[in-house]
Amino acid sequence: MSMTTGDLTQGLPRFDLPDLAVRLPVPDIAPWRAGNVGIPGVWTQAAAEPGPHLLVSTLVHGNEISGALLATRWLREGVRPRRGRLTFLFANLAAFDLFDPGDPTASRFVDEDMNRLWAPVALAGGRRSVELERVRALLPVVRQADVLLDLHSMLWPSDPLFLAGTGLEARSLGRLVGTPPLVVGDDGHAAGLRMIDHPRFGQDGARGLLLEAGPHWQPETLAQMEVAAARVLRLLGMAEDGAPIAPDVLVAPGRVARVTRTVTAATGGFAFLRDYRGGDIIARRNTLIALDGEAEIRTPHDDCLLVMPSPRVMRGHTAVRLARFEG
């Protein structure tokens, strides 16, 4: 007897939330919250010698505290640029103020995801929300950056990676950083543009990298952020001798993959057929990996890389990105 798509949904795995233990302290951003450029949460330092402007962004999601821990330590220990300008951004202050280690997933945002709001047409419109107003306030800072390193962590199991949008120069920088060793070029989310997708990072050689450094609230994620950020600082010629940052590491250039399909959940019944994690490679094209209501989700090519699959995904949100390695 033949099986229908509905039959396939029987016995699908039910994915429990991963470990939600918060094994990092809540960062104290109070000394830098007022900022020093007239915008709360923006702290910038310039060297006498000209050079690039590196923007290190944290707390775009209010519960992703690892980046803020790195930024506050570097500020506290006096990390300054040897040349150019180094700016630290504590982005979603309102959401961070709601962070509770006892319920750490609840403060990702207040009204809406801040990392879907960077399209110029949305920012120029009349719609209002806590996050939209904050993004509008931060636009002058973003428009001045030559390099953006946007620090994030992940809820669902995945190998660390850089997301580089569509920019070739951003992918090249991520590859040179080499840690984590994977750089993914993609077109973003159907729900809206990320900070790295803002048009600034396709102009005048400006580059935007989003680092997904590892699981939320874990020491290894903070360590990965620091190694990567220190590598970026050195590659830009901005690290002072003896700066209190992670030691340089000898790593091979990273591997680049390009997203060939972004799978957006069309129904509330999206479900993977088994327990995948980000970084899994599906060897054969046309392999059935998920069901979206009655629609089958299959790999479009051999050696298909799964980028950050989300076992629990709402309709209209990204469920997984499917990518092909380049070279």
Side-chain angles (χ1 to χ4, degrees), residues 6 9-10 41 52 60 67 71-72 76 79 124 133 135 140 145 169 179 209 228 235 243 261 265:
T9 64
Q10 301 300 314
V60 166
T72 53
R76 187 173 62 250
V79 175
E133 293 304 300
V135 168
E169 291 178 313
T179 176
L209 284 173
L235 286 168
R261 181 185 176 190

Side-chain angles (χ1 to χ4, degrees), residues 3-269:
M3 295 184 69
T4 67
T5 302
D7 294 329
L8 289 173
T9 64
Q10 301 300 314
L12 287 181
R14 296 183 178 273
F15 298 101
D16 295 325
L17 285 174
D19 182 8
L20 300 183
V22 177
R23 296 189 172 91
L24 293 171
V26 178
D28 177 12
I29 66 172
W32 301 279
R33 186 183 183 107
N36 65 349
V37 295
I39 304 173
V42 180
W43 197 276
T44 191
Q45 301 169 100
E49 182 182 344
H53 182 181
L54 171 61
L55 173 61
V56 178
S57 174
T58 76
L59 293 179
V60 166
H61 297 127
N63 64 335
E64 297 182 18
I65 63 175
S66 299
L69 283 168
L70 173 61
T72 53
R73 188 176 74 73
W74 279 17
L75 285 164
R76 187 173 62 250
E77 297 190 6
V79 175
R80 300 183 62 87
R82 184 183 66 78
R83 67 184 190 112
R85 181 178 293 273
L86 175 61
T87 298
F88 295 98
L89 168 61
F90 303 98
N92 199 336
L93 295 172
F96 172 67
D97 287 343
L98 301 175
F99 181 72
D100 175 6
D103 189 12
T105 64
S107 56
R108 180 176 171 86
F109 52 79
V110 177
D111 290 330
E112 56 185 327
D113 191 331
M114 182 180 278
N115 222 24
R116 304 291 184 269
L117 301 177
W118 293 86
V121 65
L123 296 174
R127 193 169 67 81
R128 300 173 65 90
S129 72
V130 168
E131 277 77 18
L132 259 174
E133 293 304 300
R134 178 61 169 163
V135 168
R136 288 169 179 142
L138 295 175
L139 271 177
V141 181
V142 171
R143 287 173 174 153
Q144 293 170 8
D146 299 308
V147 178
L148 166 66
L149 180 62
D150 190 15
L151 300 178
H152 289 257
S153 52
M154 298 178 277
L155 177 62
W156 298 105
S158 176
D159 298 338
L161 73 156
F162 284 115
L163 294 172
T166 59
L168 292 174
E169 291 178 313
R171 275 179 259 173
S172 295
L173 176 60
R175 185 172 181 271
L176 286 174
V177 175
T179 176
L182 175 63
V183 184
V184 175
D186 72 340
D187 295 321
H189 300 276
L193 298 191
R194 303 160 297 189
M195 192 187 299
I196 62 167
D197 302 319
H198 187 273
R200 168 59 189 159
F201 301 109
Q203 300 170 343
D204 305 322
R207 295 160 285 179
L209 284 173
L210 189 160
L211 173 61
E212 295 283 5
H216 295 325
W217 319 304
Q218 303 303 313
E220 63 268 25
T221 300
L222 176 56
Q224 173 65 82
M225 283 184 179
E226 177 158 14
V227 171
R231 287 277 296 167
V232 171
L233 206 64
R234 290 187 175 97
L235 286 168
L236 296 176
M238 296 175 65
E240 290 185 319
D241 292 339
I245 60 178
D248 203 6
V249 291
L250 295 175
V251 292
R255 197 173 186 190
V256 176
R258 185 75 176 89
V259 169
T260 55
R261 181 185 176 190
T262 298
V263 179
T264 302
T267 73

Side-chain angles (χ1 to χ4, degrees), residues 281-286 299-305 323-325:
I281 298 171
I282 310 302
R284 301 294 299 274
R285 71 175 297 275
N286 207 37
T299 53
H301 45 75
D302 291 346
D303 298 324
C304 183
L305 173 69
R324 189 198 306 268
F325 288 104

